């Protein structure tokens, strides 16, 4: 069977993982002297079942010869439902090994879809399930990854799995943790309790470790009690260094004053929701120079700085060797990399969304893309971000079209998808323009062409009457804008109290900036942790936030798809009764 390379439906994965098992370790044992090219030629003349077996032999030979990429392409294209059980097991082991070698987690997931039905020795089955868990982590399916890895640890009592299990557990929200812990064994319950106390500590390291000590006393034989995950060990070294005073340098006048006010409002709301234990000091960055603002913050006893918002000011900071205080800038500088020690950069970058769209389209199996962006500096920057990420993965851009936002979408859309027609279309557009694109695709016979868009096409308010023209368009957005698609409903959103307060009183056009303020406060109070713990992340209002190697915060956003004009989760292809063209 072929696995669809889209976001996995969590319930389907959990059902796959909960069945009884036997399991993996090596790959194909049999050696053949046949030439792979000749075998592939033979397969083209054979009936389907025999052809599948012949292609497997060719892939095996290529893998042994070190031609891993070609071997993976052939193995992944085999319809494994045509293989008898023993041969299917050989195929699964080979494909999983190739996927792991080449860093293609979807291949590992494809190989393990029928894991429990494969006739494998127990040690091989366990090894294959471990590969599955690691692959699920890579594609950001933490609940399913935790299920897989916990089953392996239950069989092996292997403390070496503590770190990946913790990575999966720490990405789960409260509802997912509760679901995992329901009717669970002692091993899983222990992990769930540990993740819960971490999640509810609110960044207070002292509180976390007081609760952790009590947890270890109750669970002394648990693998995580015997050897703490590395991230928690790193946090333990920060006890007593919690952030208690944050300075905020944002403009009170000028062109950036309005977005700055929205960010500050979000920070204030989250500050109150978090109990007000952190002091906030606000400095006007409209006219003062950065050095003076840092001196003022230090004189007030601030431990961390938030700001600036101006892109040129951020650029000046990133060119320094280090910043006077650990700093969370609220924009990204012009440089290719941030070079200043202690400087983190965070913002709602459209370029970041474009790169994620390229990754998503590639993972969905598309290899050629049309690009449709506005003919202005914004469109150029975002279009280049998509193009660069797409080509870096081996994709081809068939047509890149810059449109006039004030003109009808008809001609630009036609040019983006014609001669040759791509597998997918990347769209950057505001709502009024974006709503014209799908009907135009229908008119030109491209109604089945998948469309990947940024958050800018969604106004943030559900409006089926207007947005029905966007049906089937996939887009990414912050969790606070698409709660049903992102986390399964409002009740499990990050920072729910702040969401409710801001949603009731916010201007919809500023709501994303309010959410940014909430996350800015939470990131700022965690800056020492972000500096000390590699791979640490925050499940925030604006996405899952992780610092990159140069301190620039990367946002992982959830995907949605318009169905009857309403954003819904992106599920397995065919779930809506259609198959999108590739």
């Amino acid at each position: 069977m072929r696995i669809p390379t889209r976001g996995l439906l969590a319930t389907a994965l959990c059902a796959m993982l909960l069945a009884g098992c036997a399991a993996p370790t090596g790959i194909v044992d049999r050696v053949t002297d046949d030439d792979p090219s000749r075998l592939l030629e033979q397969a083209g003349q054979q009936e389907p079942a025999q052809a599948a077996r012949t292609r497997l032999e060719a892939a095996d030979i290529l893998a042994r010869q070190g031609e891993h990429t070609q071997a993976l392409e052939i193995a992944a294209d085999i319809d494994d439902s045509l293989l008898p059980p023993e041969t299917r097991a050989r195929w699964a082991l080979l494909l999983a090994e190739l996927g792991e070698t080449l860093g293609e987690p979807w291949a590992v997931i494809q190989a393990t879809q029928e894991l429990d039905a494969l006739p494998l020795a127990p040690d091989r089955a366990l090894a294959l399930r471990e590969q599955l868990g690691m692959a699920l982590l890579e594609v950001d399916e933490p609940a399913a990854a935790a299920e897989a890895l916990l089953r392996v640890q239950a069989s092996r009592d292997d403390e070496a799995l503590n770190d990946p299990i913790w990575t999966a557990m720490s990405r789960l929200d409260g509802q997912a943790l509760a679901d995992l812990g329901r009717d669970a064994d002692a091993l899983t319950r222990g992990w769930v309790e540990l993740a819960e106390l971490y999640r509810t500590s609110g960044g207070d390291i002292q509180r976390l470790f007081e609760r952790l000590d009590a947890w270890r006393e109750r669970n002394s034989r648990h693998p995580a009690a015997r050897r703490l995950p590395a991230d928690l060990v790193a946090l333990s070294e920060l006890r007593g260094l919690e952030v208690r005073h944050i300075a905020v340098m944002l403009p009170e006048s000028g062109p950036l004053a309005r977005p700055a006010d929205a960010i500050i409002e979000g920070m204030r709301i989250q500050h109150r929701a978090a109990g007000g234990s952190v002091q906030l000091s606000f400095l006007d960055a409209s006219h003062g120079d950065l050095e003076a603002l840092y001196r003022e913050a230090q004189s007030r006893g601030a431990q961390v700085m938030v700001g600036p918002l101006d892109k040129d000011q951020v650029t000046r900071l990133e060119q320094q060797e280090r910043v006077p205080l650990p700093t969370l800038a609220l924009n990204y500088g012009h440089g290719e990399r941030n070079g200043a020690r202690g400087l983190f950069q965070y913002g709602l970058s459209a370029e970041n969304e474009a790169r994620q769209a390229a990754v998503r389209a590639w993972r969905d199996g598309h290899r050629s893309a049309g690009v449709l962006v506005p003919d202005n500096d914004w469109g150029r920057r975002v279009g280049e971000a998509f193009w660069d990420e797409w080509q870096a993965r081996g994709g081809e851009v068939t047509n890149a079209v810059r449109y006039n936002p004030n003109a009808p979408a008809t001609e630009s859309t036609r040019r983006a998808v014609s001669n040759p027609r791509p597998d997918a279309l990347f769209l950057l557009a505001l709502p009024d323009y974006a709503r014209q694109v799908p009907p135009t695709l229908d008119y030109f016979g491209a109604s089945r062409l998948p469309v990947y868009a940024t958050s800018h096409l969604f106004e943030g308010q559900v409006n089926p009457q207007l947005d029905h023209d966007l049906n089937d368009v996939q887009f990414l957005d912050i969790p606070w804008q698409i709660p049903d698609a992102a986390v399964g409903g409002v009740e499990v959103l990050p920072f729910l109290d702040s969401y409710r307060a801001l949603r009731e009183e916010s201007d919809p056009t500023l709501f994303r900036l309010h959410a940014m303020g909430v996350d800015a406060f939470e990131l700022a109070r965690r800056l020492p942790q972000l500096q000390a713990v590699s791979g640490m992340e925050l499940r925030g209002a604006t996405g899952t936030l992780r610092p990159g190697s140069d301190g620039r915060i990367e946002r992982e956003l959830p995907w949605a798809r318009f169905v009857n004009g309403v954003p819904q989760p992106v599920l397995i292809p065919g779930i809506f009764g259609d198959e999108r063209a590739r």
Side-chain angles (χ1 to χ4, degrees):
M1 64 180 285
R2 299 294 307 281
I3 181 175
T5 51
R6 298 190 181 222
L8 297 180
L9 184 57
T11 53
L13 279 170
C14 289
M16 174 189 78
L17 292 165
L18 287 172
C21 134
T25 280
I27 55 173
V28 178
D29 297 321
R30 204 170 59 153
V31 180
T32 176
D33 295 326
D34 287 332
D35 173 58
S37 299
R38 189 170 63 81
L39 286 172
L40 292 173
E41 185 178 333
Q42 289 176 1
Q45 309 299 319
Q46 295 170 337
E47 53 86 20
Q50 180 59 48
R53 294 193 293 273
T54 303
R55 291 190 177 99
L56 176 59
E57 296 297 342
D60 181 26
I61 296 168
L62 288 165
R64 293 176 185 279
Q65 294 173 348
E67 300 293 336
H68 295 135
T69 300
Q70 187 181 0
L72 176 63
E73 291 175 356
I74 294 166
D77 200 44
I78 292 171
D79 182 353
D80 59 295
S81 66
L82 298 173
L83 300 173
E86 293 290 342
T87 309
R88 195 178 201 180
R90 293 174 54 220
W91 167 83
L93 292 166
L94 175 63
L95 182 58
E97 188 72 15
L98 289 166
E100 186 174 60
T101 299
L102 294 173
E104 294 286 352
W106 286 108
V108 179
I109 295 167
Q110 177 185 350
T112 52
Q113 285 296 285
E114 301 294 335
L115 175 55
D116 293 321
L118 298 177
L120 291 167
D123 60 334
R124 285 198 164 194
L126 279 178
L128 195 55
R129 192 172 299 279
E130 183 177 341
Q131 286 179 293
L132 170 61
M134 298 298 189
L136 290 165
L137 269 183
E138 288 190 57
V139 300
D140 200 26
E141 291 287 349
E147 291 268 10
L149 295 172
L150 285 167
R151 285 186 61 179
V152 177
Q153 190 170 64
S155 297
R156 290 205 310 238
D157 192 29
D158 186 356
E159 294 176 13
L161 291 174
N162 284 3
D163 288 342
I165 290 174
W166 177 247
T167 299
M169 300 294 292
S170 60
R171 292 182 186 176
L172 300 180
D173 59 34
Q175 185 60 55
L177 285 171
D179 292 343
L180 184 61
R182 191 174 296 115
D183 301 322
D185 57 21
L187 173 71
T188 300
R189 285 198 308 272
W191 278 111
V192 169
E193 289 175 15
L194 182 60
E196 278 284 7
L197 65 87
Y198 173 79
R199 191 182 68 86
T200 57
S201 65
D204 188 326
I205 298 173
Q206 186 62 37
R207 180 186 178 203
L208 168 64
F209 279 92
E210 288 172 357
R211 299 171 70 192
L212 177 59
D213 290 341
W215 177 87
R216 295 182 83 173
E217 288 183 12
R218 296 193 307 271
N219 299 273
S220 59
R221 301 181 64 182
H222 194 278
R226 302 196 305 265
R227 184 179 73 78
L228 279 178
D231 285 354
L232 292 179
V233 173
L235 283 180
S236 69
E237 299 173 2
L238 300 177
R239 296 175 83 163
L241 299 178
E242 291 85 359
V243 172
R244 300 299 182 194
H245 190 169
I246 299 171
V248 183
M249 58 171 172
L250 291 174
E252 296 178 5
S253 60
L256 294 177
R258 188 166 185 252
D261 284 346
I263 291 169
I264 289 172
E265 178 65 10
M267 293 188 71
R268 290 187 186 278
I269 290 290
Q270 184 58 21
H271 177 248
R272 289 199 293 270
S277 60
V278 177
Q279 181 180 347
L280 293 177
S281 296
F282 292 93
L283 310 174
D284 183 7
S286 303
H287 306 293
D289 66 76
L290 293 175
E291 292 177 353
L293 290 166
Y294 272 109
R295 287 195 298 270
E296 175 65 16
Q298 289 172 318
S299 72
R300 296 191 188 188
Q303 299 161 275
V304 164
M305 179 73 85
V306 172
L309 181 59
D310 180 81
K311 197 174 187 74
D312 290 336
Q313 289 183 323
V314 177
T315 301
R316 289 203 294 275
L317 287 181
E318 73 179 3
Q319 292 170 346
Q320 299 179 9
E321 182 179 347
R322 63 181 306 145
V323 288
L325 286 172
T327 299
L328 179 70
L330 299 182
N331 208 331
Y332 298 94
H334 293 290
E336 290 187 8
R337 289 185 60 82
N338 165 36
R341 290 179 58 193
L343 176 63
F344 293 84
Q345 300 177 16
Y346 161 61
L348 305 184
S349 164
E351 292 93 326
N352 176 266
E353 295 185 23
R355 287 188 286 270
Q356 288 184 62
V359 172
R360 179 77 183 205
W362 180 266
R363 286 179 174 173
D364 284 357
H366 308 302
R367 296 297 180 261
S368 64
V371 176
L372 188 58
V373 299
D375 189 10
N376 50 35
D377 181 63
W378 179 54
R380 178 191 59 77
R381 288 186 289 105
V382 178
E384 287 180 356
F386 178 89
W387 184 305
D388 290 346
E389 183 68 35
W390 186 246
Q391 289 198 322
R393 291 175 176 271
E396 175 190 4
V397 175
T398 56
N399 303 287
V401 177
R402 296 184 184 179
Y403 63 83
N404 178 356
N406 299 314
T410 308
E411 179 59 20
S412 295
T413 304
R414 183 195 66 79
R415 289 166 49 209
V417 299
S418 300
N419 301 321
R421 178 162 293 177
D423 295 339
L425 175 67
F426 170 67
L427 173 65
L428 174 69
L430 298 177
D432 287 344
Y433 193 92
R435 291 175 185 131
Q436 302 174 53
V437 172
T440 304
L441 292 175
D442 293 348
Y443 179 78
F444 288 113
S447 60
R448 296 166 66 84
L449 186 74
V451 179
Y452 297 83
T454 64
S455 62
H456 306 87
L457 87 173
F458 181 48
E459 291 176 330
Q461 301 287 331
V462 174
N463 193 335
Q465 185 173 357
L466 286 176
D467 289 338
H468 75 277
D469 281 336
L470 291 170
N471 280 350
D472 291 330
V473 172
Q474 297 183 58
F475 71 101
L476 69 178
D477 207 338
I478 68 172
W480 271 22
Q481 288 282 42
I482 51 171
D484 290 332
V487 292
V490 167
E491 295 298 324
V492 289
L493 280 173
F495 313 126
L496 179 58
D497 290 343
S498 294
Y499 169 84
R500 286 174 168 155
L502 288 163
R503 197 63 169 175
E504 290 176 3
E505 61 186 58
S506 284
D507 177 342
T509 63
L510 297 176
F511 188 61
R512 289 185 178 89
L513 290 171
H514 286 134
M516 181 180 169
V518 169
D519 282 354
F521 174 80
E522 290 296 332
L523 285 168
R525 66 194 296 212
R526 290 169 169 81
L527 277 196
Q529 301 173 36
L530 294 176
Q531 288 177 300
V533 181
S534 174
M536 186 174 177
E537 62 184 31
L538 172 70
R539 289 187 64 259
T542 62
T544 299
L545 310 178
R546 307 180 184 100
S549 60
D550 66 347
R552 289 178 171 172
I553 302 295
E554 300 169 354
R555 291 187 305 136
E556 184 76 23
L557 297 178
W559 283 86
R561 180 187 186 191
F562 281 101
V563 179
N564 297 323
V566 177
Q568 299 289 342
V570 178
L571 306 179
I572 295 172
I575 200 74
F576 297 102
D578 69 285
E579 293 292 340
R580 303 293 285 174
R582 292 193 173 183

